[in-house]
Each structure stands twice: as structure tokens, then as C-alpha cells.
Amino acid sequence: MDGEDRRLDPLKSFTVNSFRLDPGIWQDLVSEEESQVMLNSFFNTQDYWTLFICQHPESGLSFSLHFPKNVQTKVICVSKSGPGVLTKENTRESLIIQEVQGEDALSFIITVSEKVTCPLLSNPETSSTWAAGVAEEALRFMGRQKNEALVMKAHIEGQTFLPHPGALHDDALHDDTQRLSDMKLLHSCDSMIIEWAELVSEFLQQHSSQPVLDGLKPLPSEEFNFWRNRLNNLHFIQQQLMSSRAQQVASIVQKAESVYWSTLRDIHRDVQEGLKEAEDVTLNLTGLQEQLEQVEQVEYQQLGANMAAVMEAVRQVWIQSKFYCEPCRMVVLLQEICNLFIQMSREFLRVEEVMHGLVSDPAPVLDDVRLVIRTLQTFKEAYSQCRTQLESQNQNQCLTQSWDFPSHLAFSHLDKFLTRLHSIQEVLCDSLQLRQLDQTVLSGVSSRMWTDVVQGVYQDFLCHVTDLSQSNCDPTDPDDQSFQLHLDQFQVQVSDLDRRLVSVLSRAFEDCCLSSSAAKLVQMFRLILDRPLIQDQLHPHLIRLVEMVLVELDQTELLFVSQREKSETFSRFSPSAAARLCWTQQLQLRAEEALNSYRTIQHLCVDSGESQLVLQRFQNVVDLLQDFRDHVRLDWSRQLDSDCGFILEQPLIQHSQQGMLEVNCSHKLKGVLRELRCVSREGDVELHPHTARLLTCRDDVTHSYLSLSHMVSCYNQVVMDVLQVELPLIQDQQHDLNQTLSMLQTNTWSCEGVQHLVEQQRERVLMFHSTVCKARANMNDMIGIIQGWAELHLLQHSGESLLEGGASEQSYRQIREEGQQLLLLTQVNRSLYGVEESSESWIRYLDHIDDRLQHGLFQLLLRSLRFLSDSMNPQTCRGPLVAVRLQLQETGSVFEPSVGGDLLKTIITDIYRAASLPARISMSRYDNLQESLQQSPDLIALEQEVMRHVVQVKEEAEHLRAGLDRYSYLWLSDRKEMMQEFLTYSRQLGADKLEAQEAPPTLKDFQREIESLHRLSREVTHLDDVIVLHSWLQVDLRPFRDSLLLIIHDWSHMYTEYLLDSVSDSLQQVSRRADDDDVDDGDDDDDDDKAPSSSLPLTETILLLEAAGVQLPEHLSAQLQVCILQRSI
């Protein structure tokens, strides 16, 4: 049968449409040899009534003569409506094609068999035309097919269906004789019993360990479901065996004394025993099931705490169940529980986070992995405890059987998972350790090179760990061997990195000359050094570090022995005994630092002998230092008691040879107090009576000593800094104070009330010191004010000229106000000293201040006059001092302001006036300060020097003005008169005025005069804006120059105005002539160029005006255009 057979068209059309297939897939299916065999069996024979077409996800589309198993998708059922061979003519009428879902296909077959096929075959009318026995055979076949479908359906539902004989019907139940004689019925019953035995035996032989044997990883829930379904199915089988039809079959075979009657009884016995077993196991597994369900609900962090409870529930199952206490079943149960915990662990770890943690932050993932390992180890420990309990119960002659099966049978998968977790933990530890290299910076001669090597190792590690994290593997699946391959490759790469790090660390350890530096290096690479390969390779360097620690301890001991008798070894800023104790303490700290360096690597060294040697050497050094400290404390205690007794008997203060006050035995007292402070800090020094007495009041003595030192310092400051003129003013107060201070010279430190007495005298001295210091501060302020006048800028520039500013009013106001402030400060000092105004000492004090005042004013005047003198001296001046302007008036050129003797007289007067502003301080002097200072030879000499410079600059100024008088004819001459002379004589007359002849000017004469004025204008324009005379007088020529240029412009305008008038007259004459007469064509050109009465040619005049820069007015330009137009006509 090939694919072109027309009988396949209904199947092809229905199948392609139902499954939405490409027709090529159908053609490929029917072309297969196996498919052709099935199609031939269905179409060409009477043995098969049903054909199934289904589509599996793995194998694709397929044919089947029996109902396909484990089909979840739809199935196409093709059935014959009658026996016989299908031909092209009867195919469409004889086929029943229907689409059903996979789980409903069996129900469909059963329904079709019961409702359609069997009634059809049982009807005599239908089979009357058939050959003998065909209908009975077809009916038996459909019965078998229906029973197979019922068995299959029940099997899919997890039950065992016991089919009934097809020949067994209800009407035969009441006819025993006929039933006994019916051998066909007996044969059917025997066949059914055989089939029942096979079905029941097949079911009872099922074991919960089968998924384990198949290599699967079942969970405890499958074990619980297996026994619950087994119990339900056994009840279902028992119900079928107790049904009326089953009892009918039993009665038939029993009465017929069939050999299968014993088989049926065996079936009943096996079912009853299976029920007892299933009920027992189900009942005892309930507690374990509830416990595991609770465990699945808790957080994983709490899972370890429930392991003991889980194993206790397992132990109870073993103890209480009669049928489950078999090693094979317990092994399966433990494997399933391990599978559950493995599943929970994998869900907790999450594959993505494990792989991502390798490259991002391995610490949290490492903590989770370690938690999982601890949790699973806790489960194994709980198993061991339960096993031990069972063994102890068995030894105590209990009936409980112990777990004598090998543990690896139950924990093989869990151990593989733990091995994988340990591998993951190792990778994460490697990642965490090598990430320490990220910010590592080494020091030393070749630090940069070795640091780059370490960073290169770190970058290579990141590349390797990134490649590992990007592998498409499940690290938590112990059966995934691809991850193990990647893991092995990663370990090889990490080993290579370890060897590279060993070379760097070896060189770094070689560069360490101190154990502390080596310890810091160990601390820096503390995680790296824990790696076995690195630790093994660096072992010689670690031994060398131990040797360095021993050497440093020996050096500490040698230093102590060689320097303990040398006083210069100890600090000069601390008591000798305290310094010795401090020195020994430093030596002990040095020894402890060496010991700490050793303890840094102690866990890396396994040699206990080296550890004992280091500790023994350290203890020797500590014992030597402790003996030395005890000896120092003893000597210190004796000497300190002697010094304290001496101090307690000394007076508080005394007078020095220079007459100053000083604290008695100040240096020794400070030394004793410093030693007492050290004693209180040490705490191990024995205190003798004098030392104990002074130590109890050490704070009071220290406070009193500081108060005395301050008081003495203030008193001595007043005595040393007092002025001779101030001494009479404080003499009485000083005498009274000396009498009260004599009490401090008679009291000692052992007297009662010393602190109160010191504070009382200190207040008096401080009050005296404060009064004198305030008065002295006022005196300093007065001196500062007076000295400030010497720096005062009395003369200030105002604009460009000092002459306009003179002495500033601001300076006057400052001197006046500060003079009043001087008077106020003197009155304040009089109240501070408490003297009368009429006292002689006070008058001398004021005279002293008045002398300083007069000297300050003298410096002010001297500085101001010297400023004028220096500013007017060509060798020392920095720029113009005074500015004047040269202006042109009707009378001629003049200077404003005038350059003469009064030029700086006003400024000098203002300078001397400043001396009259402050009032006199002295009460015995009444003369005027200004008048007395004006008689000073130094000031008179400077004033004369200034006036000499004024005379010199006046001469230069007059010489400048005389030089500019060469232009005087421009402003002195009468322009109208000069114009009239020019029009009469064509030039300006001079001394030959009487001999001149009249000659009217031509255009050339006008041109000569205009060009002369233009040259003069350019000459004046180039005059300097400013001229500095004698290096200090600035003369501004711009007013003079501007006025002179205006005059020159007026002269030029006079000539050009005359020419414009001439042009206007000529144009008017030409216009009148054109209106009165016609112009002949043969007129001469000369007659056309000028007016009849004009002496100046019109065209040349216009050109001259344009050359002079004069434009014709608009009305003259219009007239000129009209004339040109008339002429052209």
C-alpha cells in the first residue's frame, strides 16, 4: 500500500486539517515501512477494527493499531463500521473518524464498543449474511478491545481494573445447569482469572524504589503518594473481587472444580496481605509526611534546626512499622529525603546568583554555600545519632533492628552534591582571596614593577572567573559534568596565578629588613597566604621571619644591657627615674611588637619548637626589664621623700639679688611636682611620709605655685617696665604692696592656709598690675597717636593740582580730634594713678607727654615741607606738583593761576596751621606751638628751599610765554582794517605804508593769504598739550592753542567770505544778461567766463574755494547749474 492509495484520502484530509500539518509530513509518514504494515493490517484484514493517529512531541506523527500510551494531546480514532476489507468503493461509508483528547480516547473506545459495535454484532439481523463464526469472533474481539481499554483507562487513573468475561450476562445467573455445561463460559472465566492474577501480580510487584532504580531523583512525596495510591488501588481491587460478577466467576470455577480456583483464592490472599501492608505503611508514614511538610515551609536558615526532628520521624517509622523496617525501603526513603533537601538547597542558592557572585561579590554567596553545607552535614549527623540510638537499643535486647546497611547507599547522591558544594566553596574562597589583590600596593625599591605584576595577576584572575561564570552550566547539579570540566580548568589557571604570586611575595619578603614590615606584608596578604601552594612555597621566608623576630628580641636585650647605666640615654624633659621606667616600657613595647609580628604568622608555622623558643626569649627580656624597674622604683621612692621634706620647709617667695621677687626653690619645686605626677601615674612606687603628705595636696600646691608664679611675674613686670616719670606716681602703692608680700616670705609650704594666703596676695598684686598696665596702655595709645602724625599725609592732591587742594580738611579734623583724645587719656590716667592735678609728679608726667606732642607735630611739619621740597627738586621729584593753564585773553596770554611768589605761600601757611590745632597737654607751658615751631631752623631752611624753586620756575614760565608771543599780531591786529588794506594794495602794508600804490588783489593774492593761514593753523595744532617746567610745574597749553586756532579760522573765513560774495555777484550778472539778450554763437569764451563788471574769474574763484575746503551754498550751486544750462542752449 503506497501513499497514492485513494482509500487514504479521508484519513489524509481529516489528519492534515486536525493537526494543521504540511501535506509533505503526511506523505513522509505513509511512505515509512512500519506505517505501511499497519495500514495494510487495518485496511486489508479483518483482525483490526481500530486505527489510531497521534502526534508525540518527540517522535512526531505516527500510526498505531493499539491505543497509544501517555498521550496528552488529541488522538484521531478511525473505526470500521463492520467486518471485512475496505475497498475504494466502501471506504467512506465504512469508516468512522473522530477526534478525541488523549485522556478521553479510551472512554471513547469503551463507549463505541458498548453502545455501537457490540450491540451491532450481537444483532442476528446484522450478522445473518455473514459466514458462520464471523460474528462471534468479531464480538469476542470487540470484547477484548473493550476490556483492554477499560484496563488501560484504569491503569492511567492509577487503578487496576479486573475485566469480566464477555459471555457472562445477567440472565445466566439463575440457570446453574446451563452455566455448568457451558464450557465456553468456563473457559472465559478461567481466562479472566489468569488475566486477574497477572494484573494483581503486576500491581503487587510494583515497588517505590523503581524510580530510584531507573536513575531518577524522586522526592518523599512520591513515596507517600505511592503507598496512598497502593492502598486505594488495593481497596478498589478488593471491591471488584467482592462484586457480584466476580462472585459469579468464583462460583463457576469452584463448582466446576477448575484448577484456577486455587489461583483465585491466592489472589484474594495476596490482596488482603497487600492491604495490611499498605495500611501499616501509610499510617506510619503520616507523621514523617507532616514533619517534612512543615520543614518545607520554614526558612532555609532554620532548616538545620529541624534535621533532628526529621530523622526522629524516620526512626519512628522504622520502629513502629511492621512492613517498612526493611533496609532497602529505608535506603530509598533516605535517598528521597536527601533529594528533597538537595532540591531545597538548590532553590535557596539559585544558579544565577551563584554564577553572578563569582564576578561581583562572592562573600554573600560563600556564606550561603557554607550554610547549605552545614545544614546538610547536620542532617548526616542526625542520621548518625539515630543509627547510634538504634544500635544501643539493639544491644539492650530490644526487638528493634538496627540500620546495618552501608550509609553510602543512602547518601551517595547527597555526598556528590556536598562534593560539588565544596568545589563551589573553594572557587568562591579563591575569588574572595584573590580579590584582595585589587588595591594592593607594594613598597620598596622595585615596588612599582611588583605592584604591576600583582595587578596583572588580579586582572587575569578576573578574566578566568568571568569565563567560568559565563559557562552555560548548573554548578548546583552534581550530575552536570560539564561544570566540573570548567572547574578543573579554572583550578589549573588559579594554580598558575598562585605561582606568579609566589615569585612576587618571595621578592617582597626578601626586601623586608624588619619583622614588623614582614608582618605587615603578611597582614596585607593574609588570605592569600592561606592558600596551600603559596604557603608551601613561602615556608623558607616564614622561617626567616621567625629568625628576624629572635634577632630583634636579642637586640632589645643587648640594648638594655648596654644603655641602662648611661644617664644620657633617658629623656631630659622627665625625671630621671620616670624616664628610666618609660625607657624600659618602650623596650618592652618593642619586644611585644616583635612578638606580635611572630603571632601574625604563627598560624602559618607548624613547628611548635620555634614557638616555644620565641616565647621563652620574649619572657627573658620581660623579666630583665621588670627587675630593672623594681630597682628604679625603690631608689626613686627614697630620693623623692628627701626632696619632698626639703620643699615643705622652704618659704614661699624671696627677693633676688636684682631686687625682684621670685618663687623660692622654683626649679626644685617644679621637679618635685613633676615627679609626683609621674608617681601618681606609675602607681607602683612606694610612698614615704613626706612624699605621701605632698602627694595628697599636690593639686593645691600646684595651683598655689602657679598663682605665685603669675603674681611674681606681674609684680616684676611692673617694676621692670615702669618709666622714670611714672615711678613717683606708683611709689606709695608699691610700698604698701611690699609690706603685705612680706607675709609670703615667712610662711612655708607646710603651713596651714597657704593656698588662701597666696590667693589673697595674688588678688592685690593683680589689681596693682592691672591699674599700672591700663595706665601704661593709655600712655602707649597716646604715643601711638603722636607717632601717627609723623606718617600723616597732610598735603593731598586735588585733581591735577596740589595748589587747588592744599592741606586737607580731613587731616585737620583728624589732628583736632586726636588732640582731644590725648587730653581725655591723660585724665583717665590721673584717675588710675589717683593723684591730684596740682601734684608735682603729675605736672612732670604731663610735661613729658607735652614734649612728645611737640616732637610729633615737628615731625609732621618737617615731613610736609620736605615733601614740597623734594617734589620741586628736579632730581627727586616724581612728577608734576602744581598745574597752571596758559590762556589767551584780550590783553594777551596769561597764566592761571599766576606763577609768582604767592604760588605756594598759602600751602606753607596751611602746613604751619596744623601745629595750632591740638591743645597743649602741659599745665606749666602757655606759648603757642605753631609760633614756636615756625622758629625751628630746619623748617625755615626747607621753606626757603621751596621759595627758591618757585623763583626758578617763574623765570621758565615767562620765557615760555614770550616765545608764544610771535603769534600776537593775530589777536592784536584789526581784521577789518587789514582786509581793507589787502583789497586796496593786494597785500598787508607794513612800514612802507605811505609809499605803497593801489593794486586790487588777484586770485593768486587770495590764494597766497589763505595758504599762509592754513600753514599757520597746522603749526599751532602741533603745539604740545602740556609742558612741564622745572620738572614740577605743569603748564596746560590747550586753552591757549584752542583760542589761537579760532582766531586763525576767523582770518581765513574773512577771505573765503569775500570770495563767496564775488561768486554770488558774478552769477547774478550772468543771469540778468541771459534774460535781456540772446547770446550769439560766435561770442568769445573769455566773455562767457566772467561777469562784465567783475575782476575775478568765476570758474577759477570756485575752484579756489573748493581747494580751500569751502563748499558753495545750495542757492549758489542752483544758480550755477541754471547758468550752465542756459549756456548749453
Side-chain angles (χ1 to χ4, degrees), residues 399-428:
L399 298 178
T400 305
Q401 183 182 359
S402 61
W403 290 343
D404 53 358
F405 53 85
S407 300
H408 68 86
L409 296 178
F411 298 103
S412 58
H413 187 55
L414 181 63
D415 291 338
K416 290 175 60 178
F417 182 67
L418 284 173
T419 302
R420 177 58 59 85
L421 290 182
H422 284 293
S423 299
I424 296 174
Q425 179 183 2
E426 184 178 355
V427 173
L428 292 172

Side-chain angles (χ1 to χ4, degrees), residues 743-771:
M743 299 176 60
L744 297 177
Q745 300 178 18
T746 59
N747 283 273
T748 63
W749 289 104
S750 60
C751 296
E752 297 293 335
V754 169
Q755 185 177 5
H756 176 71
L757 179 61
V758 169
E759 289 298 324
Q760 184 179 6
Q761 299 303 323
R762 176 176 172 272
E763 293 297 329
R764 293 178 182 179
V765 173
L766 291 182
M767 187 178 299
F768 172 68
H769 175 264
S770 176
T771 300

Side-chain angles (χ1 to χ4, degrees), residues 444 497 555 585 879 1108 1125:
L497 297 180
Q555 291 176 350
Q585 185 66 29
L1125 182 62

Side-chain angles (χ1 to χ4, degrees), residues 525-592:
F525 293 95
R526 59 188 182 279
L527 298 179
I528 301 299
L529 295 177
D530 291 334
R531 303 180 61 78
L533 189 146
I534 295 178
Q535 183 176 351
D536 181 66
Q537 295 293 327
L538 294 179
H539 183 71
H541 298 282
L542 299 177
I543 297 301
R544 177 174 170 268
L545 177 56
V546 175
E547 294 174 354
M548 292 171 61
V549 170
L550 294 174
V551 170
E552 290 181 4
L553 291 175
D554 292 341
Q555 291 176 350
T556 303
E557 182 178 356
L558 180 62
L559 178 63
F560 167 73
V561 173
S562 62
Q563 299 293 327
R564 60 183 173 182
E565 301 298 336
K566 298 180 181 180
S567 60
E568 62 272 11
T569 304
F570 314 110
S571 173
R572 66 182 63 182
F573 301 104
S574 300
S576 176
R580 289 172 183 268
L581 295 177
C582 181
W583 178 66
T584 55
Q585 185 66 29
Q586 292 174 357
L587 291 179
Q588 183 168 349
L589 292 176
R590 181 175 175 178
E592 290 176 354

